[in-house]
Amino acid sequence: MWLAGAIVVDGSGRDPVEAAVQVEDGLITRVGGAPPAGADVLDCSGMTLTPGLIDAHVHLGMSSSIEASLAGRVPVAELAADMFANCARTLDAGFTTVRDTGGIDAGLAGVVASGKIPGPRILHCGPLLCQTGGHGYLAPEWEPSAVWDRHEILGLRSLSLLCDGPDEMRKNAREAFRRGAGFLKLCVTGGVVSWHDKLSDTQFSVEEIAVAVREAAARGTYVTVHAHNNAGIRNAVAAGVRCVEHGSQIDAETAALMAEHDVAHVPTLAVVRALLDDATAAGLPAEIAVRAEGVWQGQIDAIHAGREAGVRVGSGSDLIGPRQDGRGHELVLRSQVEDPMTALVSATRVNAGILGIEDETGTIEVGKHADLVGFAGNPLDDPKLFADRDRVALVIQHGRVVKDRR
């Protein structure tokens, strides 16, 4: 199959070029040249072809109203239906790979991988690891922590495992891997969507975090951390983590420390914008927006601090609740903070490196998986196209056309 006539933006940051792309057996086998006579040609004239987009911070397990689902007021069938629909919409928006950073059971990733429902390739950590009363522990104050595991839905959703002390961290890290996790996610500071903490809180000791890092390293993988304040981030860096999610208070000193230890940063602007606009749309109390107020500018400042220090800056949306249609809005917002090309590279090549799949995807080059998106128009000229699913005219996932609205 040849894709011909498009302007190719290959994800490397190089200038766009008009080139044909050949796909065979799910792989990109040639970039440039002309299709031979009789070749199977997809006419992509007027389109911009990019690598498949990667969202490095999703929560597919939180696809329904948050408070209602935690209170048991949403039937399991509806929870599953909402997750399946979210997967399909994500792929339809041009995201061929996502990293789920807490909340799904391996069953969801498996059913998508099997082809039974449409969706992106899902890399996941299963349940995130948090301390009692920390971020990720969403039980009401009156509920004993001993019954938190009753919120799990086996085979579908597992929000978090409670870890207090190095021994519990070791046990639950191993349990997460037993359940199919590909990496570990820890919460090392308070968060915005939290019931029991403040953004200024630090959570887990360096020793506890280091236990998780050792368990991940034993399996050839890594730890990423939910973190806002610098004290928690510095604890995580000292313990050996690979990545920081959100990082809304990263300053120049912390950014330099992250760069020194090659710790990446995945900002998440889209969820903050959504919560500031209307937290109730996610099934959350309106006052959550107050907790998000300082996080918006904080993440923007952190992006600039990271760039100046040489930190790898990826891209994640972190959308939660039933309204996750605007996953590409993260790239629109990042285009405003930096520029469209930088936003695209963060959501393709850089994200692939952070996820450890840079040899497979993230750029349009020979030998990579044929994960490709064709936009009707040029998102580098009009970044709003990143969030317009109607202008995502073509999606190819591992060599298979999964959307074609040319």
Side-chain angles (χ1 to χ4, degrees):
M1 179 172 65
W2 284 80
L3 287 74
I7 299 299
V8 175
V9 185
D10 68 7
S12 70
R14 290 190 290 264
D15 290 339
V17 296
E18 184 174 348
V21 178
Q22 185 182 28
V23 174
E24 293 181 282
D25 297 325
L27 300 176
I28 297 169
T29 54
R30 187 171 179 179
V31 180
D40 178 13
V41 177
L42 289 181
D43 183 3
C44 299
S45 300
M47 295 170 56
T48 301
L49 196 67
T50 76
L53 302 177
I54 301 171
D55 191 332
H57 193 121
V58 308
H59 291 290
L60 298 173
M62 294 184 176
S63 299
S64 308
S65 174
I66 304 301
E67 286 199 317
S69 65
L70 288 170
R73 298 197 302 270
V74 183
V76 172
E78 185 174 343
L79 293 173
D82 289 343
M83 292 182 199
F84 295 163
N86 194 356
C87 288
R89 289 195 302 268
T90 297
L91 184 61
D92 190 66
F95 288 85
T96 54
T97 301
V98 300
R99 181 179 63 161
D100 193 288
T101 51
I104 66 168
D105 185 285
L108 181 67
V111 77
V112 173
S114 74
K116 291 183 178 180
I117 61 169
R121 176 188 183 184
I122 302 172
L123 309 178
H124 71 94
C125 64
L128 56 81
L129 306 181
C130 68
Q131 69 181 42
T132 299
H135 183 72
Y137 176 59
L138 297 174
E141 291 182 355
W142 52 262
E143 182 183 282
S145 59
V147 299
W148 169 242
D149 60 0
R150 295 181 188 176
H151 291 276
E152 289 194 18
I153 303 170
L154 299 180
L156 187 66
R157 187 176 76 178
S158 181
L159 296 175
S160 62
L161 298 175
L162 304 184
C163 311
D164 296 300
D167 289 341
E168 285 191 2
M169 177 66 76
R170 183 178 298 105
K171 178 178 176 59
N172 285 332
R174 293 173 179 177
E175 175 66 10
F177 283 125
R178 185 193 68 81
R179 297 186 188 189
F183 63 97
L184 297 177
K185 159 87 174 292
L186 276 61
C187 297
V188 303
T189 76
V192 173
V193 181
S194 282
W195 309 158
H196 313 289
D197 60 34
K198 304 182 298 296
L199 286 170
S200 57
D201 290 353
T202 59
Q203 298 170 4
F204 289 138
S205 65
V206 174
E207 182 184 8
E208 288 172 311
I209 303 168
V211 167
V213 170
R214 287 195 293 270
E215 289 299 318
R219 291 162 177 79
T221 187
Y222 67 96
V223 172
T224 191
V225 293
H226 158 103
H228 285 279
N229 66 66
N230 287 308
I233 294 171
R234 287 195 292 269
N235 286 344
V237 173
V241 307
R242 181 194 288 183
C243 187
V244 170
E245 313 294 315
H246 317 301
S248 64
Q249 296 177 20
I250 292 172
D251 56 18
E253 182 181 355
T254 300
L257 182 67
M258 291 171 62
E260 178 185 351
H261 293 273
D262 193 23
V263 177
H265 175 210
V266 176
T268 55
L269 297 177
V271 68
V272 182
R273 186 72 266 159
L275 292 176
L276 289 172
D277 290 344
D278 183 8
T280 64
L284 292 167
E287 55 266 27
I288 284 290
V290 176
R291 295 175 66 101
E293 286 177 354
V295 174
W296 171 255
Q297 187 60 45
Q299 289 199 73
I300 293 172
D301 293 343
I303 290 168
H304 293 312
R307 292 291 188 199
E308 291 178 8
V311 173
R312 290 182 296 154
V313 183
S315 177
S317 68
D318 192 25
L319 295 174
I320 54 175
R323 290 171 58 178
Q324 299 192 29
D325 292 352
R327 202 169 296 287
H329 193 50
E330 183 70 25
L331 280 79
V332 178
L333 296 172
R334 288 288 295 278
S335 296
Q336 296 167 359
V337 173
E338 301 184 273
D339 61 78
M341 177 66 88
T342 302
L344 178 64
V345 172
S346 290
T348 53
R349 178 180 61 81
V350 176
N351 269 356
I354 292 171
L355 274 57
I357 53 174
E358 64 271 31
D359 292 339
E360 304 171 23
T361 190
T363 55
I364 299 177
E365 60 182 306
V366 172
K368 297 286 184 77
H369 290 178
D371 294 336
L372 304 162
V373 181
F375 291 91
N378 189 343
L380 300 184
D381 295 332
D382 183 6
K384 293 191 297 294
L385 298 184
F386 285 129
D388 189 344
R389 283 166 51 201
D390 291 335
R391 300 292 291 276
V392 176
L394 182 69
V395 180
I396 296 175
Q397 185 181 38
H398 209 170
R400 185 169 63 92
V401 176
V402 294
K403 177 180 182 180
D404 188 354
R405 293 184 182 171
R406 290 173 297 152

